[in-house]
Amino acid sequence: MSNEHTPLLAHGVCGLSADNAVCGIGESEGTGEASTPNAVPRKLNTFFGVMVPTVLSMFSIVLFLRTVSSSAFRVLPQGYWYTVLYSSIVLLLVLMVCLVGAHIFARTSFLILLVVTISLLSIYISPLALTTPLKFLITHQGPGNQTLTYNASYTGFNGTTLKDNLGSGYTVDYSTGKVMSFATVFAVMFTSCTGIMAGANMSGELKNPSAAIPKGTIIAVLYTFIVYVLLFILASSTCERTLLAQDYGFFQRINIWPPFVTIGIYCSALSAAMCSLIGASRILHALALDQLFGFPLAPAAITSSSGNPWVAVLYTWGLAQCVVFAGQLNAIAGLVTVFYLLAYAAVDLACLALEWASAPNFRPTFQVFSWHTCLLGILSCLVMMFVINPVYSSASIVLLLLLLLFLHYRSPTSSWGYISQALIFHQVRKYLLMLDVRKDHVKFWRPQVLLMVANPRSSCQLINFVNQLKKGGLFVLGHVKLGDLDTLPSDPVQQQYNFWLSLVDKLGVKAFVDLTLSSSVRQGTQHLLRITGLGGMKPNTLVLGFYDSCTPEDYFLQDHAFCESKGSGGDDFGVDLPSLQAHFPPVRHVESPRWLTSEEYVGIISDAIKMSKNVCLGRYFFQLQGEGMGTKTDGAARIIDVWPLNLLQPSSTSAASVDVCSLFLLQMACVLNMASRWRHARMRIFLCVEAESSDQGWVVKEETYRELLRKLRIRASIKIVPWDSVVQLYGQKQIRDPELEGLTKPAQALSEDFLSAVNRMLMEHSAEAAVRFLYLPRPPAHSSQSQKYLSQLEAVTYGLGPTLLIHGLTPVTCTEL
């Protein structure tokens, strides 16, 4: 095998899109070595790479940032624009640090955590040192420039204080002037969980991301949860509700040394801002590398010589600067919380999809979950989103759907696989098992077509036509490559699938492709008729192009989709237009030898009938217009003509009964009439009668067909065609075939005059039809009659235009309720 020594781990194994690009570096994931000289090796462990950034991010949002809004900047001028100015300056400082690189934050994060821990310890120790109650006078600027004054108390540890603080007691938020509620408090408190992904964002720096991320994140969450619970108990046991509600910076008032809190504020806020800016920029950089959003994010793929994605950092800084104009944390807390809840719901959905897909390679290191917990997480996130703010929630979901639609239709094919494909496979397999062939019923019959294609260059119009004829059924393009696998080093068929699938994409047809290698076309067709499809989805109809001496036309030279050169990039699977054209050989010339003999062609028809498959032969479909992918027509100007009687055996047309093959013709014509490009076409049914007959049987035949059309609910007009002069040219005689070892059998001696008369009759009545459906007689039992059989078909259909010769074996109609 040519790829036996391909690295086993060709793609990321952690399931994170930013896994190998978090710090702008590219690595050989199978070996762990840097793929470029400037790449930074992975060196962070669980503690420094996951726990520290996660703890700092989760601490800062609620524990410290809310304090900044009321206490840190009191010594400076206050106001909306001053707040924006101060925040912009701090954000600019964070930007400068991030532009240098992520390694600065990684080296200082542990020191910052120590400082924050000391600040927290001072908060825990202060109630033990402050044993006497304290009184505070708190003032706020109220409406109408009036000053609001509140008397607040610090009581120390007190059971009554704890009891009074257990209730909700929602009041007006002095920073926004709005009444608080459960939803708004939840939105503010939930932002303390938004740092939970900080460790995952640093995955490109970790030695072992798959183990470090779940372990470090869970430890960090447990640690911060314990800290928050202790702080809640401490605050509610020592501070009256007025102090808690009217001063969000109350920790400074009750600290033994207030600068401890101020230092913690600045350290944790700056570290969280840097961690968020770095993490978001790395995700943005990964999106740019994958070209998921095209040109708008293309510059974000640029990195410095050290691998730092500085353009992505600028993108992220610009977005953060826009958020700064909100002025107050509570003003954006709801929107931020909704976005994060939606993101977490998406993570749960991805995990749920992987679990439901049951892919064998889904073996996560962290296995303490089930589809029940994933589903519970999704529902919880969605419910809380709408509890917090229904408008924000609806808008965020719409935005997410728009992004998904954009990615679905515009993004290039990824190399990491699609979960949708795994889910589709899982569901299709399940429903295929439920599709029991023993429960098939004629009422739900639909054509399931295997179209044998020798060369797509001359068959594209027929492919497009059959795509309209399938009526939601199975459509398979089959091709036989001549050869013997014993004499070949590898299977040549496997290398051709991408070209055929790209052809299907360009034609815009809903078809599968099935190729086989065989020593003969007939044997290969037998293989495909037997093995194509699965379960209840197997072909019941074989479609072949007509076997004649006409020189085929090259459709690739007529369709602009195959002529225009739209760059050398090709499609998402590496097949460009020149290689697609070069793969399929030029059309056959008149002098070129044929790979298929007339005996073999008729043998294929006979084989299909023996296998209980319906057979259709398509002729002159290269003349059919309006079947291309970009064509918009409803068929209002089109006519579908159906000749449901066996024109090569006039004796069979005299009977008033309708055989299975005739019903099959009517059904296929009706199916075509239901297709989008033929739904307004007029359908005509031609009945050949002997008008000069004394028994007037043709009147009974006409009434029989009218009643049949009424029962089958087929809208079509019936045309009576007298063909007495044609029948007179038809004769029967006994012939002896020397190849049948002296056995005598009845055979049709169809004269050229009779065949020409039938052809003239068809030309006279169906000249204006867009497509014609004719009765295909059963092929001869012996191969010696194959050429005569084809000659008769060729003579009858000569010059008609698009014609489909059909021999039906399957009952397809039912008049019972």
Side-chain angles (χ1 to χ4, degrees), residues 549-767:
S549 58
C550 293
T551 303
E553 297 186 14
D554 193 340
Y555 183 82
F556 284 11
L557 301 179
Q558 303 173 14
D559 195 313
H560 64 87
F562 294 92
C563 299
E564 296 179 0
S565 179
K566 300 181 180 180
S568 58
D571 63 11
D572 298 332
F573 300 94
V575 179
D576 56 12
L577 187 57
S579 62
L580 180 65
Q581 292 176 333
H583 176 74
F584 298 110
V587 295
R588 175 181 54 83
H589 297 287
V590 179
E591 299 83 5
S592 302
R594 307 190 67 157
W595 293 101
L596 187 66
T597 64
S598 59
E599 290 78 9
E600 192 174 11
Y601 179 82
V602 177
I604 292 175
I605 301 174
S606 300
D607 294 341
I609 293 176
K610 291 177 182 177
M611 299 169 70
S612 300
K613 307 295 184 182
N614 310 296
V615 179
C616 302
L617 309 181
R619 190 178 191 189
Y620 293 124
F621 275 92
F622 63 88
Q623 299 177 4
L624 184 63
Q625 303 297 324
E627 292 298 299
M629 183 171 57
T631 305
K632 295 182 179 179
T633 178
D634 59 3
R638 290 177 165 181
I639 299 176
I640 303 172
D641 282 356
V642 183
W643 298 77
L645 305 178
N646 188 352
L647 300 179
L648 297 185
Q649 191 174 356
S651 59
S652 66
T653 64
S654 60
S657 60
V658 183
D659 64 4
V660 173
C661 186
S662 299
L663 290 174
F664 190 85
L665 259 75
L666 292 174
Q667 180 78 342
M668 295 299 284
C670 185
V671 167
L672 180 64
N673 205 184
M674 298 169 69
S676 59
R677 295 174 185 168
W678 297 82
R679 62 178 178 271
H680 293 304
R682 291 184 294 130
M683 188 162 69
R684 305 185 302 185
I685 299 176
F686 291 88
L687 297 182
C688 298
V689 300
E690 297 181 43
E692 299 176 359
S693 175
S694 59
D695 60 0
Q696 297 295 312
W698 63 271
V699 178
V700 179
K701 180 189 298 184
E702 181 182 3
E703 290 301 320
T704 301
Y705 267 89
R706 291 192 185 278
E707 180 65 16
L708 178 65
L709 294 181
R710 185 188 64 80
K711 289 183 177 180
L712 298 179
R713 300 172 298 280
I714 297 178
R715 293 188 297 271
S717 60
I718 296 180
K719 305 293 183 180
I720 302 299
V721 180
W723 71 329
D724 301 78
S725 60
V726 178
V727 174
Q728 292 176 0
L729 300 174
Y730 174 79
Q732 290 268 0
K733 68 177 182 178
Q734 296 288 328
I735 65 171
R736 183 172 297 276
D737 192 338
E739 296 188 14
L740 295 181
E741 300 181 355
L743 294 178
T744 302
K745 68 162 199 169
Q748 295 175 349
L750 302 180
S751 65
E752 293 184 3
D753 293 338
F754 170 75
L755 297 174
S756 298
V758 174
N759 178 255
R760 286 194 302 269
M761 180 183 66
L762 292 173
M763 293 283 288
E764 177 184 353
H765 293 88
S766 289

Side-chain angles (χ1 to χ4, degrees), residues 358-408:
S358 301
N361 282 328
F362 179 56
R363 299 186 293 269
T365 304
F366 179 75
Q367 298 182 352
V368 189
F369 74 94
S370 69
W371 69 267
H372 306 84
T373 58
C374 296
L375 187 60
L376 179 63
I378 296 172
L379 295 177
S380 301
C381 290
L382 293 177
V383 168
M384 289 312 304
M385 282 172 57
F386 284 91
V387 169
I388 293 169
N389 194 309
V391 177
Y392 286 166
S393 301
S394 302
S396 62
I397 292 176
V398 171
L399 178 61
L400 176 63
L401 293 177
L402 291 176
L403 290 175
L404 289 176
L405 288 175
F406 180 86
L407 290 175
H408 179 73

